[in-house]
Amino acid sequence: MAHTHTAHTRYIFVTGGVLSSLGKGISSSSLATLLKQSGYRVNILKIDPYINVDPGTMSPLEHGEVFVTADGAETDLDIGHYERFLNTNLSKNNNFTTGQVYLSVIENERKGNYLGKTIQVVPHIVDEIKQRIKAVGKGADFLVIELGGTIGDIEGLPFLEAMRQLKHELPNQTLSIHVTLIPLVKAAGELKTKPTQHSVQELRRIGITPQIIIARSEKPLGKDLKRKLAMSCDVADDSVIEALDAQSIYQCPLNFLKEGILAPVARHFSLESITPDMSEWDMLVKKIISPKDEITIAFVGKYLHLKESYKSLTEALIHAGANIDTRVHIKWIDSEMLESGQLDELCDVDGVLIPGGFGSRGVLGKINAIEYARIHNVPFLGICLGMQLSIIEFARHELGIAQADSAEFDPDTSEPCIYLIEDFIDSSGQTQVRTHQSPMGGTMRLGEYECILAKGSKIAQAYHNAKSIKERHRHRYEANPAYRARLEASGMRICGESPQGLIEAIELENHPFFVAVQFHPEFTSRLQAPNPIILAFVKAAQEAKATGKAKAQTHV
Ligand code: GLN
């Protein structure tokens, strides 16, 4: 797999046609994975044509999950797919928006950097885009660039112009791929190529001719239709890649490989051949598709109409499941449905998971679910808000502090078990944590931080007895150390701490598996490297199911 690396980066642009949500992110990740598994240095970039400077302030209901990188950027959820496929940490440079591009150009203009020139989309905005693309490509053999949105969108034009200019400057180093839909007209039972033809025509009108078409379709295209598409879109006959709906997104690289996507890529860049080693990947995908065992996890959340807002976590459960040859069924439970205390929904699950969240809606239902898992010895994992609520639940029901609360839900609470990060900073008189001023006014703790694990704890075992780990954060509130001694005296162990003494993880001593963490472990989970604490939780749920079954059998 050794390659003589060229000094020149090859740029692969991925655009989308016909409609949005065609899986451009998965297509880009899949191709990047094949290239990486072939021994190349691959980097990947997502360009978002919206005006927001970052997705941090966008509603998860509108935009899906905000993915947090190790360096603390709040990015698009596609960056999460890239990291999960490529098994690598990306940074804030791997995603930029129209808002960021304009912001830097306008800042430069205010500083007088343009020497009094009139600032225009061409050349200034386009130059800024090109320069950002090149910066990410530096040092890579391939840079895959996914352009968000659909061809024909007004806000996409400056980016397409940047692509066109890069192609002009570096003709042998750029390749263009168009991901499109071949709709099935049910009444006629026919697949229709016309929308794709129009979309490619629109691309050509602005000076870009794709070399490869990735055609999403419900039904196999067949040779004739592929040939027709190749002819009408002016690509080589082997360059129409059929992309049928897959059972798992992780199948996509394997499907692309079967469809022969690497032949036109190699040819275009005058490479002899590109041959990836996908054996481990193939084995993991088989375990996702037809595993030996299955378990059910209750996922007690709030944004259930848009499951995309929990993307990293649902993917992390898939990774953990694949690792132990088990399908992890998710039982989605709206936390508001548990507020009455009616918890029948939890009776038949093998584990309870409380994800992160913001705001007070549904909090009581989550607290009820936590109490249930604690008392009934059901394996439990709490993440971020899930940890904060585990502490509140324990304080209320075990320590008898009825008023225990988070300052997020009641800023004037008399028992702030969870309080604002600023309070921690102020009380010590100095900034002990790196914080980011969010545009909404609050201070967010974002990105990767060190966490020191207590020796012998469940969490330390999960992380292979590591003394210290790094995981990613996104929160405004912290557990209040004033309650620490009382929590510990009653059996709640503080098993993870930041070097400054912030409470990062807790677990219960007299429970088979009750762990909660202030960080978001899901952001570092990958198919090839599942997150250790999520894996430990899924294993605990699998064991609980097995012992439950064994017990039921002895009772018969
Ligand atoms: N709302 C809580 C906080 O800001 C938890 C955040 C989260 O779960 N990501 O601290």
Side-chain angles (χ1 to χ4, degrees):
M1 294 226 302
H3 289 278
T4 39
H5 296 293
T6 54
H8 303 298
T9 306
R10 303 168 188 91
Y11 299 91
I12 300 181
F13 295 102
V14 181
T15 55
V18 181
L19 42 88
S20 59
S21 310
L22 286 181
K24 260 186 311 193
I26 301 298
S27 298
S28 307
S29 308
S30 297
L31 177 59
T33 301
L34 292 173
L35 294 169
K36 183 178 178 194
Q37 294 297 118
S38 306
Y40 289 104
R41 291 172 300 181
V42 181
N43 208 346
I44 186 156
L45 167 66
K46 169 83 191 277
I47 298 178
D48 283 307
Y50 49 73
I51 316 289
N52 305 57
V53 172
D54 63 47
T57 53
M58 287 162 99
S59 159
L61 291 177
E62 196 169 311
H63 190 71
E65 175 184 81
V66 174
F67 184 81
V68 179
T69 55
D71 60 350
E74 297 180 287
T75 64
D76 187 83
L77 95 176
D78 275 320
I79 303 299
H81 285 309
Y82 299 167
E83 286 203 357
R84 289 188 281 274
F85 274 71
L86 293 175
N87 191 10
T88 186
N89 277 357
L90 298 174
S91 81
K92 51 163 120 7
N93 301 329
N94 294 87
N95 179 209
F96 65 81
T97 69
T98 294
Q100 280 171 35
V101 171
Y102 273 78
L103 194 63
S104 35
V105 170
I106 292 170
E107 275 169 5
N108 278 330
E109 185 269 337
R110 293 288 84 188
K111 283 187 218 146
N113 292 352
Y114 297 109
L115 306 173
K117 287 222 161 55
T118 308
I119 312 305
Q120 295 180 301
V121 174
V122 182
H124 302 97
I125 295 292
V126 171
D127 281 350
E128 172 72 24
I129 295 169
K130 285 196 295 185
Q131 180 242 311
R132 281 173 180 250
I133 293 175
K134 285 183 183 163
V136 184
K138 225 174 173 184
D141 298 315
F142 287 96
L143 175 67
V144 177
I145 304 129
E146 176 193 351
L147 177 61
T150 308
I151 296 307
D153 294 347
I154 291 175
E155 58 264 50
L157 286 174
F159 299 104
L160 292 166
E161 174 61 12
M163 283 169 50
R164 191 195 64 76
Q165 291 189 12
L166 277 172
K167 184 196 72 172
H168 183 83
E169 286 170 29
L170 308 164
N172 302 322
Q173 282 165 250
T174 57
L175 171 85
S176 170
I177 299 183
H178 195 51
V179 182
T180 171
L181 177 74
I182 311 295
L184 175 68
V185 176
K186 291 247 159 64
E190 256 181 82
L191 290 166
K192 294 293 187 187
T193 61
K194 188 74 55 120
T196 299
Q197 293 180 37
H198 283 171
S199 181
V200 171
Q201 272 164 21
E202 177 64 13
L203 259 181
R204 293 222 298 258
R205 195 179 62 78
I206 40 190
I208 296 167
T209 306
Q211 284 80 32
I212 295 176
I213 303 286
I214 294 179
R216 291 294 311 274
S217 162
E218 274 178 62
K219 250 176 56 173
L221 299 179
K223 267 205 180 111
D224 289 347
L225 210 71
K226 273 191 173 179
R227 209 169 293 137
K228 180 176 167 191
L229 261 175
M231 174 72 88
S232 58
C233 298
D234 202 20
V235 301
D237 279 350
D238 67 353
S239 303
V240 174
I241 305 301
E242 170 185 287
L244 301 174
D245 293 344
Q247 271 174 284
S248 158
I249 53 172
Y250 300 104
Q251 247 177 333
C252 295
L254 302 171
N255 292 350
F256 280 9
L257 186 62
K258 250 188 250 151
E259 278 288 300
I261 196 168
L262 294 177
V265 174
R267 189 170 63 232
H268 184 82
F269 289 121
S270 309
L271 297 166
E272 248 170 53
S273 71
I274 305 176
T275 40
D277 174 1
M278 297 299 283
S279 46
E280 188 204 1
W281 192 279
D282 193 40
M283 181 210 45
L284 288 166
V285 168
K286 285 201 177 97
K287 288 185 177 167
I288 293 177
I289 291 171
S290 43
K292 284 208 189 85
D293 200 359
E294 54 181 7
I295 56 167
T296 303
I297 300 290
F299 192 113
V300 185
K302 174 161 97 159
Y303 310 110
L304 299 192
H305 350 273
L306 193 70
K307 313 246 164 45
E308 291 279 285
S309 58
Y310 297 115
K311 195 73 194 167
S312 292
L313 192 45
T314 52
E315 292 302 314
L317 291 171
I318 293 173
H319 305 159
N323 198 268
I324 55 167
D325 215 348
T326 295
R327 189 182 315 283
V328 181
H329 291 290
I330 295 177
K331 182 169 183 180
W332 296 97
I333 300 179
D334 182 339
S335 48
E336 282 181 303
M337 306 306 283
L338 303 179
E339 292 200 328
S340 66
Q342 244 310 334
L343 304 179
D344 295 351
E345 291 272 31
L346 298 175
C347 284
D348 55 353
V349 300
D350 306 308
V352 172
L353 175 62
I354 311 273
F358 291 84
S360 59
R361 188 165 63 80
V363 153
L364 185 61
K366 290 182 185 172
I367 291 182
N368 288 339
I370 294 168
E371 184 182 22
Y372 179 92
R374 182 171 63 81
I375 292 177
H376 293 91
N377 285 333
V378 181
F380 172 82
L381 181 65
I383 293 177
C384 205
L385 181 65
M387 181 189 98
Q388 299 175 353
L389 296 179
S390 306
I391 292 177
I392 294 172
E393 190 280 323
F394 198 78
R396 284 188 191 171
H397 302 137
E398 280 294 302
L399 306 185
I401 308 174
Q403 302 303 317
D405 214 336
S406 165
E408 180 174 11
F409 318 132
D410 176 7
D412 304 316
T413 174
S414 57
E415 299 284 0
C417 285
I418 309 298
Y419 69 164
L420 262 184
I421 291 177
E422 279 109 338
D423 296 346
F424 178 83
I425 298 166
D426 292 348
S427 65
S428 64
Q430 51 177 312
T431 306
Q432 299 208 4
V433 286
R434 175 170 46 100
T435 51
H436 301 237
Q437 203 62 36
S438 97
M440 301 283 281
T443 305
M444 274 267 215
R445 189 161 171 235
L446 281 169
E448 186 183 83
Y449 289 92
E450 187 184 358
C451 170
I452 298 158
L453 302 179
K455 207 172 165 202
S457 59
K458 289 198 184 77
I459 191 168
Q461 280 165 27
Y463 283 89
H464 312 289
N465 299 318
K467 289 198 178 83
S468 138
I469 57 168
K470 279 185 177 157
E471 290 286 7
R472 301 182 196 171
H473 293 245
R474 181 171 188 253
H475 55 108
R476 291 201 173 86
Y477 297 85
E478 288 288 342
N480 187 345
Y483 293 85
R484 180 177 179 146
R486 277 176 283 172
L487 293 168
E488 287 187 312
S490 293
M492 178 171 270
R493 181 170 189 187
I494 309 300
C495 53
E497 281 177 69
S498 78
Q500 303 85 7
L502 293 174
I503 295 171
E504 305 281 33
I506 58 105
E507 59 191 55
L508 291 183
E509 269 152 18
N510 298 316
H511 192 288
F513 190 95
F514 188 109
V515 180
V517 291
Q518 184 59 73
F519 50 79
H520 286 272
E522 68 271 27
F523 289 144
T524 55
S525 181
R526 282 93 193 248
L527 179 62
Q528 293 154 300
N531 177 276
I533 195 64
I534 295 174
L535 179 60
F537 166 61
V538 167
K539 277 185 183 161
Q542 193 193 35
E543 274 161 31
K545 185 186 166 192
T547 25
K549 249 195 198 158
K551 263 194 208 151
Q553 272 162 4
T554 41
H555 281 303
V556 172

